[in-house]
């Protein structure tokens, strides 16, 4: 069998119902053609995100009942720290309520106005958190990542020559840290190789810069290393993870992804002085450092979920299911980003809707059409999410890629759901000429895609 079947059976079900096309047409108009503003109950297959949408195991639910809700020193905190350290290995571990709060803490302590933070590709919250500190987020991903059809086993890699040039140019204190996002979400959930991480780590040491990893999908990244990188075949995932994190000085983590829970995150770092400053801020923003904005029961679910997330059988099924959907679409001639990444299949909206100019947000138009026609929710990662409007001319500057991400929640949907999604997209592709473009009627200055309102262009 090419793709392993589900390594679990279903003990609890949550009914999902299909609305009519007329209902969805009304709802998407009321939502201002923004899928974030839709009621989730009107969605049949929700592929908006793989973040916080996982199904927990019976073992995790059992752990929930063992929640110790002490304000300080909860037993679940100690289990959480032990579980995190067994995989990530860093000295100081601070729980947070999600990944972006870990980023906020780290950048508050390290980034000053004008500082440059290089990354293979910043995710939107990471970029916004750097900008919030008046820093400059810089993406240095390899060239191959900009070509949706280019096959590359580690298409999320950092361009290390560009990184070294930056480090040579800038004063040491203008680059407070180097970051790497694994897997590289914004370019298609593409993995980063151990070799590339080793090289970035060596540059960080050579130029005396701290090196941090945005670790949300580290387990999927480690699985790709095991499957694709010479020397790692047959190696244990947890062992690969430990080697990987030993190259860095710390990480930010949203356990809503590979931690297999619905809420939570952490900041882990070796530097004691930075850790102390971050812990002080944590108390101000999130809570006492042994709970960090989470309930004791959440910490227990994370402690257990992290261990399940590095299980090789689970990862083979998980990445296999995403690739199963990718294969169904690819075989039907649908333009997708290749190779398929770890957590999502990305549709290439420029090719799917070539009749729409960038100014009419083809990615967003495709996401809305998918909802209206098939009750599937996906997310645009293109001109609406990353475009910038020049305040003087009012003209939009667009990112290279115009994608629609079908993010697959972990352990939630079956292969039949994947078939339904594939068939619906093939049907939409047949009728693609009927999809209309969109224009923005309202937008916020930062992270505009969450709240923007749009209308159809006739
Ligand atoms: N870094 C990456 C690479 C992410 O993908 C995300 C979240 C975060 C940081 C922030 O974590 O949501 O817990 O605060 N990504 C979600 C997504 C939202 O849909 O890709 P958070």
């Amino acid at each position: 069998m090419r793709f392993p079947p589900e390594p679990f059976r279903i003990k609890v079900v949550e009914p999902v119902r299909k609305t009519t096309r007329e209902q969805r047409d009304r709802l998407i108009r009321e939502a201002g053609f923004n899928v974030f503003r839709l009621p989730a109950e009107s969605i049949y297959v929700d592929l908006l995100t793989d973040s916080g949408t996982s199904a927990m195991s019976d073992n995790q639910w059992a752990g929930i009942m063992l929640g110790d809700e002490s304000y300080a020193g909860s037993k679940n905190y100690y289990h959480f720290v032990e579980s995190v350290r067994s995989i990530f290995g860093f000295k100081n571990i601070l729980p947070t309520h999600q990944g972006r709060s870990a980023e906020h803490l780290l950048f508050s302590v390290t980034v000053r106005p004008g500082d440059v933070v290089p990354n293979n590709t910043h995710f939107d919250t990471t970029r916004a958190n750097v900008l919030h500190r008046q820093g400059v987020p810089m993406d240095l991903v390899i060239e191959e990542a900009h070509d949706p059809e280019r096959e590359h086993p580690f298409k999320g890699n950092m361009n290390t020559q560009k990184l070294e040039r930056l480090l040579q140019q800038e004063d040491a204190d203008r680059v407070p840290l180097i970051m790497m996002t694994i897997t590289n979400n914004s370019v298609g959930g593409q993995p980063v190789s151990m070799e590339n991480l080793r090289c970035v780590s060596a540059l960080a040491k050579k130029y005396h810069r701290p090196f941090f990893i945005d670790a949300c999908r580290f387990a999927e990244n480690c699985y790709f290393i095991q499957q694709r990188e010479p020397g790692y075949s047959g190696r244990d995932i947890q062992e690969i993870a430990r080697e990987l994190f030993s190259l860095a000085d710390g990480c930010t983590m949203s356990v809503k992804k590979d931690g297999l829970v619905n809420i939570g995150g952490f900041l882990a770092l070796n530097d004691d002085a930075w850790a102390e400053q971050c812990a002080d801020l944590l108390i101000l923003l999130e809570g006492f450092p042994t709970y960090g904005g989470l309930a004791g029961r959440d910490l227990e679910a994370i402690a257990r979920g992290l261990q399940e997330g590095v299980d090789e059988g689970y990862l083979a099924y998980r990445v296999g299911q995403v690739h199963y959907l990718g294969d169904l679409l690819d075989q039907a001639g649908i333009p997708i980003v290749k190779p398929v990444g770890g957590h999502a299949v990305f549709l290439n909206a420029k090719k799917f809707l070539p009749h729409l100019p960038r100014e009419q947000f083809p990615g967003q138009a495709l996401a809305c059409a998918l909802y209206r026609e098939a009750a599937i929710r996906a997310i645009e990662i293109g001109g609406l999410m990353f475009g910038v409007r020049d305040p003087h001319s009012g003209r939009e500057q667009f990112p290279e890629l115009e994608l629609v991400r079908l993010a697959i929640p972990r352990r939630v949907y079956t292969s039949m759901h994947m078939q339904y999604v594939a068939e619906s997209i093939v049907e939409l592709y047949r009728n693609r000429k009927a999809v209309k473009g969109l224009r923005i009627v309202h937008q916020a200055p930062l992270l505009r895609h969450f709240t923007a309102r749009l209308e159809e262009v006739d």
Side-chain angles (χ1 to χ4, degrees), residues 90 92 102-103 105-107 110 117-120 158 176-182 197 200-201 204 209-215 244-245 247-253 266-271 274-275 278:
F90 297 113
N92 303 288
E103 294 158 17
L105 293 178
L106 178 65
F107 296 152
T110 57
V117 181
N119 202 324
N120 45 352
M158 176 92 88
L177 73 165
I178 299 165
M179 282 203 90
M180 281 282 264
T181 306
I182 64 168
L197 286 157
V200 172
S201 174
R209 308 298 210 286
F211 173 34
F212 276 72
I213 292 175
D214 178 343
L244 189 157
F245 290 110
L247 298 169
D249 300 296
C251 74
T252 55
M253 174 73 185
F266 60 82
L267 170 65
L269 67 177
N270 287 332
D271 187 283
W274 277 6
C278 288

Side-chain angles (χ1 to χ4, degrees), residues 302-316:
I302 297 167
R304 294 172 185 223
L306 279 170
Q307 300 299 324
E308 292 175 19
V310 293
D311 179 87
E312 194 178 320
Y314 154 73
L315 283 166

Side-chain angles (χ1 to χ4, degrees), residues 21-311:
R21 189 186 183 282
E22 290 64 40
Q23 285 169 328
R24 293 192 298 272
D25 182 57
R26 179 176 55 78
L27 286 165
I28 194 71
R29 286 175 193 284
E30 283 172 10
F33 292 92
N34 185 338
V35 295
F36 280 101
R37 299 159 61 94
L38 288 169
E41 274 197 306
S42 72
I43 292 153
Y44 182 58
V45 180
D46 198 348
L47 307 182
L48 182 71
T49 179
D50 63 320
S51 179
T53 52
S54 299
M56 292 205 294
S57 66
D58 51 359
N59 180 46
Q60 285 175 290
W61 280 108
I64 291 273
M65 294 306 292
L66 300 177
D68 164 4
E69 305 306 338
S70 306
Y71 190 93
S74 150
K75 71 176 179 200
N76 311 117
Y77 164 75
Y78 294 105
H79 188 199
F80 162 83
V81 168
E82 180 196 316
S83 179
V84 172
R85 196 163 285 134
S86 75
I87 297 169
F88 297 81
F90 297 113
K91 191 169 168 208
N92 303 288
I93 294 158
L94 301 172
T96 59
H97 81 274
Q98 53 185 88
R100 69 197 67 182
S101 14
E103 294 158 17
H104 183 63
L105 293 178
L106 178 65
F107 296 152
S108 295
V109 167
T110 57
V111 178
R112 291 159 316 160
D115 283 356
V116 178
V117 181
N119 202 324
N120 45 352
T121 314
H122 287 273
F123 184 65
D124 59 357
T125 59
T126 326
R127 173 185 311 279
N129 265 306
V130 174
L131 289 171
H132 182 65
R133 298 288 305 159
Q134 294 170 8
V136 182
M138 189 174 283
D139 293 340
L140 299 177
V141 71
I142 55 170
E143 279 310 308
E144 286 87 340
H146 297 132
D147 179 352
E149 270 135 65
R150 185 83 171 264
E151 296 272 352
H152 188 295
F154 293 102
K155 215 174 166 182
N157 279 353
M158 176 92 88
N159 182 328
T160 49
Q161 282 160 350
K162 279 194 184 166
L163 177 65
E164 180 148 31
R165 236 173 287 141
L166 172 79
L167 296 174
Q168 282 165 344
Q169 276 165 17
E170 297 287 348
D171 293 338
D173 59 349
R174 281 254 306 169
V175 180
L177 73 165
I178 299 165
M179 282 203 90
M180 281 282 264
T181 306
I182 64 168
T183 57
N184 191 336
N185 184 2
S186 307
V187 302
Q190 302 292 340
V192 173
S193 70
M194 190 74 86
E195 187 194 11
N196 191 247
L197 286 157
R198 223 178 273 127
C199 185
V200 172
S201 174
L203 287 174
K205 286 198 177 70
K206 180 173 167 191
Y207 292 91
H208 308 291
R209 308 298 210 286
F211 173 34
F212 276 72
I213 292 175
D214 178 343
C216 299
R217 299 178 182 85
F218 78 96
E220 288 160 10
N221 200 103
C222 289
Y223 181 72
F224 282 117
I225 289 176
Q226 189 206 51
Q227 296 297 306
R228 296 180 181 171
E229 192 158 349
Y232 290 93
S233 158
R235 292 266 301 275
D236 183 59
I237 297 289
Q238 194 150 334
E239 205 184 294
I240 297 174
R242 269 202 301 267
E243 178 179 337
L244 189 157
F245 290 110
S246 75
L247 298 169
D249 300 296
C251 74
T252 55
M253 174 73 185
S254 166
V255 288
K256 297 171 74 173
K257 284 81 168 173
D258 280 354
L260 295 172
V261 292
N262 306 118
I263 196 73
F266 60 82
L267 170 65
L269 67 177
N270 287 332
D271 187 283
D272 291 332
W274 277 6
E276 198 178 319
Q277 290 177 52
C278 288
D280 288 343
L281 261 183
L282 182 68
I283 296 172
L284 179 73
L285 301 170
E286 300 265 296
F288 191 70
T290 63
Y291 74 89
L294 295 165
R297 56 178 173 270
D298 296 327
L299 292 167
E300 189 57 39
I302 297 167
R304 294 172 185 223
L306 279 170
Q307 300 299 324
E308 292 175 19
V310 293
D311 179 87

Side-chain angles (χ1 to χ4, degrees), residues 395-410:
R395 288 196 39 180
E396 291 273 347
Q397 265 192 327
F398 294 110
E400 184 83 14
L401 299 178
E402 182 75 12
L403 307 175
V404 170
R405 184 184 74 173
L406 307 161
I408 316 297
R410 295 170 182 78

